[in-house]
Amino acid sequence: MATSASYAFLDIQPLSKGHALVIPKFHAEKLNDVPDENLADILPIAKKIATAVGVPDYNVLQNNGKLAHQEVGHVHFHIIPKPEASDTQGLVIGWPQQKIEMDELKKYFEDLKQKLQ
Protein backbone atom coordinates (compact mmCIF):
# COMPACT_ATOMS: atom_id res chain seq x y z
CA MET A 1 0.00 0.00 0.00
CA ALA A 2 1.28 3.46 -0.81
CA THR A 3 0.07 7.04 -0.58
CA SER A 4 1.80 10.25 -1.61
CA ALA A 5 3.45 10.41 1.83
CA SER A 6 3.70 6.83 3.13
CA TYR A 7 4.31 3.16 2.41
CA ALA A 8 2.84 0.13 4.18
CA PHE A 9 4.00 -3.47 3.90
CA LEU A 10 4.22 -6.72 5.84
CA ASP A 11 7.14 -7.19 8.23
CA ILE A 12 9.66 -9.81 6.99
CA GLN A 13 10.26 -10.96 10.60
CA PRO A 14 6.69 -10.87 11.93
CA LEU A 15 5.72 -11.32 15.56
CA SER A 16 2.35 -12.63 14.35
CA LYS A 17 0.41 -13.09 11.12
CA GLY A 18 -0.49 -9.67 9.73
CA HIS A 19 2.40 -7.79 11.41
CA ALA A 20 2.84 -4.76 9.16
CA LEU A 21 4.90 -1.58 8.98
CA VAL A 22 3.82 1.91 7.97
CA ILE A 23 6.63 4.32 7.11
CA PRO A 24 6.76 7.91 5.91
CA LYS A 25 8.47 8.43 2.56
CA PHE A 26 10.36 11.32 4.17
CA HIS A 27 13.62 9.90 5.52
CA ALA A 28 14.29 10.56 9.19
CA GLU A 29 15.68 8.39 11.94
CA LYS A 30 13.41 9.68 14.73
CA LEU A 31 9.79 10.76 14.87
CA ASN A 32 10.58 14.31 15.99
CA ASP A 33 12.65 14.78 12.79
CA VAL A 34 9.68 14.15 10.47
CA PRO A 35 7.65 17.20 9.38
CA ASP A 36 4.02 16.96 10.51
CA GLU A 37 2.66 16.93 6.96
CA ASN A 38 4.60 13.72 6.31
CA LEU A 39 2.86 11.99 9.22
CA ALA A 40 -0.73 12.93 8.39
CA ASP A 41 -1.81 9.58 6.95
CA ILE A 42 0.22 7.21 9.17
CA LEU A 43 -2.51 6.44 11.73
CA PRO A 44 -5.34 6.23 9.17
CA ILE A 45 -3.26 3.64 7.26
CA ALA A 46 -2.47 1.77 10.50
CA LYS A 47 -6.19 1.72 11.30
CA LYS A 48 -7.04 0.30 7.86
CA ILE A 49 -4.43 -2.44 8.26
CA ALA A 50 -5.61 -3.31 11.78
CA THR A 51 -9.18 -3.57 10.50
CA ALA A 52 -8.20 -5.65 7.45
CA VAL A 53 -6.18 -8.13 9.55
CA GLY A 54 -9.36 -8.81 11.49
CA VAL A 55 -7.84 -9.51 14.90
CA PRO A 56 -9.63 -7.47 17.59
CA ASP A 57 -6.50 -7.01 19.74
CA TYR A 58 -3.32 -5.43 18.41
CA ASN A 59 -0.47 -3.06 19.25
CA VAL A 60 0.70 0.02 17.36
CA LEU A 61 4.36 0.51 18.22
CA GLN A 62 6.93 3.14 17.27
CA ASN A 63 10.49 3.18 18.69
CA ASN A 64 13.04 6.03 18.62
CA GLY A 65 16.74 5.27 19.12
CA LYS A 66 18.76 2.18 20.00
CA LEU A 67 17.97 2.36 23.73
CA ALA A 68 14.29 2.30 22.79
CA HIS A 69 14.86 -0.83 20.64
CA GLN A 70 14.87 0.88 17.23
CA GLU A 71 16.73 -1.47 14.87
CA VAL A 72 16.25 0.37 11.56
CA GLY A 73 17.39 3.97 11.07
CA HIS A 74 14.12 5.14 9.48
CA VAL A 75 10.91 6.09 11.29
CA HIS A 76 8.41 3.24 11.14
CA PHE A 77 5.22 2.19 12.90
CA HIS A 78 4.44 -1.45 13.64
CA ILE A 79 0.91 -2.82 13.57
CA ILE A 80 1.19 -6.08 15.52
CA PRO A 81 -1.87 -8.32 15.81
CA LYS A 82 -2.27 -10.13 19.16
CA PRO A 83 -4.34 -13.18 18.16
CA GLU A 84 -4.15 -14.99 21.49
CA ALA A 85 -3.32 -14.46 25.16
CA SER A 86 0.13 -16.04 25.07
CA ASP A 87 3.79 -15.19 24.75
CA THR A 88 4.08 -17.08 21.45
CA GLN A 89 2.41 -14.57 19.11
CA GLY A 90 2.28 -10.81 18.95
CA LEU A 91 4.11 -8.28 21.07
CA VAL A 92 5.32 -9.44 24.48
CA ILE A 93 6.36 -6.64 26.82
CA GLY A 94 7.02 -5.81 30.41
CA TRP A 95 5.81 -2.57 31.94
CA PRO A 96 8.30 -1.45 34.60
CA GLN A 97 6.16 1.12 36.40
CA GLN A 98 8.05 3.76 38.34
CA LYS A 99 7.05 5.24 41.68
CA ILE A 100 6.94 9.04 41.60
CA GLU A 101 5.87 11.58 44.17
CA MET A 102 2.79 13.57 43.13
CA ASP A 103 4.57 16.91 43.71
CA GLU A 104 7.40 15.82 41.42
CA LEU A 105 4.91 14.68 38.78
CA LYS A 106 3.04 18.01 38.96
CA LYS A 107 6.27 19.98 38.59
CA TYR A 108 7.32 17.89 35.60
CA PHE A 109 3.88 18.41 34.02
CA GLU A 110 4.20 22.19 34.43
CA ASP A 111 7.69 22.11 32.86
CA LEU A 112 6.32 20.13 29.91
CA LYS A 113 3.42 22.54 29.43
CA GLN A 114 5.91 25.41 29.13
CA LYS A 115 7.88 23.55 26.46
CA LEU A 116 4.72 22.74 24.49
CA GLN A 117 3.58 26.35 24.15
Side-chain angles (χ1 to χ4, degrees):
M1 175 179 210
T3 67
S4 62
S6 302
Y7 293 114
F9 46 88
L10 293 175
D11 195 301
I12 61 171
Q13 295 180 319
L15 298 181
S16 58
K17 186 177 180 181
H19 180 169
L21 300 172
V22 183
I23 68 168
K25 289 181 178 178
F26 183 91
H27 176 67
E29 187 168 330
K30 295 186 177 181
L31 180 62
N32 53 310
D33 297 328
V34 181
D36 290 350
E37 61 271 14
N38 297 95
L39 296 168
D41 63 0
I42 296 285
L43 287 179
I45 292 170
K47 180 181 172 183
K48 286 179 183 178
I49 292 169
T51 301
V53 168
V55 175
D57 298 313
Y58 57 91
N59 297 91
V60 176
L61 176 69
Q62 200 280 318
N63 302 323
N64 290 278
K66 290 195 183 299
L67 292 179
H69 306 286
Q70 182 180 11
E71 298 290 326
V72 176
H74 186 95
V75 171
H76 57 286
F77 295 76
H78 295 263
I79 297 83
I80 308 168
K82 187 67 173 171
E84 59 185 50
S86 76
D87 290 348
T88 62
Q89 291 191 69
L91 185 63
V92 179
I93 59 172
W95 200 268
Q97 293 179 326
Q98 307 285 313
K99 296 268 187 201
I100 188 166
E101 295 295 325
M102 191 55 67
D103 289 341
E104 183 182 348
L105 185 61
K106 287 178 182 177
K107 182 185 180 315
Y108 184 66
F109 176 65
E110 292 302 321
D111 291 345
L112 280 177
K113 283 195 323 190
Q114 291 297 318
K115 291 177 183 178
L116 291 170
Q117 292 180 4

